[in-house]
Amino acid sequence: VKDKHIYISRNRTLLLYADLLRRLGDSKEGLNYKFQALDLAESKLLARDIAYVYQDIGLYYHLWVKDYENAIKYYKDAINIFETDLILKKEYLYLITLDGIASSYWFLDQADLGYPYSKKAADISLKRLYGQIDVRQLLSTNEELNKTRERIKTHIDNIYRISFSEEISQEKRSFLIEESIYYGQLLPQLKTAQALSYLQPNNEIQ
């Protein structure tokens, strides 16, 4: 157990040092340290820790290197680990990783490939709001509402981009339009709920 904690600390130090190098202008060397962290995780740590590093590398490629293909690759490596374990699928990092894949496909102008990920992210966010997730795993009410609205908007944007493609059938286009209406109707409800969540603490203070 002691060795495990040492390896976890070493792993996180490598990831943080990589980010420091990136801030100092050396993104390439920073990436080398990310891969050192990955090697350590794969040889010494548990699945959750490995998924964390894959997600971190995907995020690095996504935000700082702007290499969306590699971002997707490492995000998906993380997803593959999360989806092998029902407990890991409840990790909030799983949801964030879905967001990252959907966003990366958007920047590659491949909304059709991002669609299943943005949909899954939106649906999981809604389940969190509907009380289907352990309350101990939730963010604040306002944060959950805000993130859910953002994910639904992202998914609707994907739907619109796909719908305007000349390559899809009229049947598929009609299905997508109906889906966009369903998700679109949720946005005003979430906005109202968010406004009420702001009022509640103020009322309690009074």
Side-chain angles (χ1 to χ4, degrees):
V1 176
K2 182 178 178 181
D3 286 345
K4 178 187 173 184
H5 288 305
I6 292 172
Y7 289 133
I8 289 174
S9 295
R10 186 179 299 170
N11 187 261
R12 291 180 179 171
T13 299
L14 288 168
L15 292 173
L16 289 171
Y17 186 61
D19 291 330
L20 175 60
L21 288 172
R22 190 265 307 165
R23 292 190 187 98
L24 293 173
D26 197 346
S27 295
K28 185 176 180 180
E29 185 63 15
L31 197 55
N32 288 334
Y33 277 90
K34 295 285 185 184
F35 285 119
Q36 287 184 40
L38 180 59
D39 289 340
L40 177 61
E42 289 181 326
S43 63
K44 301 294 185 181
L45 299 178
L46 300 176
R48 181 187 182 278
D49 303 300
I50 299 170
Y52 177 92
V53 179
Y54 275 132
Q55 194 277 341
D56 192 87
I57 293 174
L59 187 67
Y60 194 91
Y61 273 118
H62 183 173
L63 295 182
W64 311 116
V65 184
K66 308 298 183 186
D67 182 342
Y68 302 113
E69 288 90 350
N70 268 318
I72 291 167
K73 175 185 181 300
Y74 287 98
Y75 281 146
K76 285 186 176 180
D77 285 337
I79 290 292
N80 289 338
I81 295 175
F82 284 123
E83 293 185 343
T84 61
D85 188 318
L86 291 176
I87 294 176
L88 290 180
K89 280 186 72 174
K90 294 178 182 179
E91 293 270 351
Y92 192 67
L93 190 63
Y94 172 63
L95 186 51
I96 292 174
T97 308
L98 292 171
D99 292 336
I101 296 176
S103 174
S104 296
Y105 274 126
W106 177 269
F107 283 113
L108 291 173
D109 198 19
Q110 296 176 341
D112 55 326
L113 296 178
Y115 168 90
Y117 297 97
S118 61
K119 178 175 173 55
K120 188 177 289 188
D123 289 344
I124 292 174
S125 263
L126 288 168
K127 286 181 180 179
R128 291 171 67 88
L129 286 178
Y130 295 157
Q132 297 180 26
I133 300 293
D134 187 334
V135 67
R136 291 171 296 182
Q137 297 178 320
L138 297 178
L139 307 176
S140 68
T141 301
N142 184 61
E143 187 70 11
E144 289 286 350
L145 287 164
N146 188 50
K147 293 294 185 183
T148 301
R149 288 181 64 207
E150 289 177 3
R151 290 182 177 113
I152 288 175
K153 287 178 180 178
T154 295
H155 187 52
I156 290 174
D157 286 344
N158 268 338
I159 290 173
Y160 285 162
R161 184 175 280 192
I162 298 168
S163 298
F164 287 116
S165 170
E166 297 179 356
E167 298 176 1
I168 68 168
S169 66
Q170 185 57 44
E171 182 180 359
K172 179 68 178 292
R173 183 175 287 107
S174 297
F175 171 81
L176 290 171
I177 290 172
E178 289 181 9
E179 186 178 336
S180 70
I181 292 171
Y182 164 73
Y183 284 106
Q185 289 174 338
L186 295 173
L187 290 174
Q189 298 173 33
L190 293 172
K191 187 174 182 180
T192 300
Q194 193 168 16
L196 292 173
S197 76
Y198 277 121
L199 291 174
Q200 187 175 3
N202 293 331
N203 290 335
E204 289 175 356
I205 292 171
Q206 294 173 359

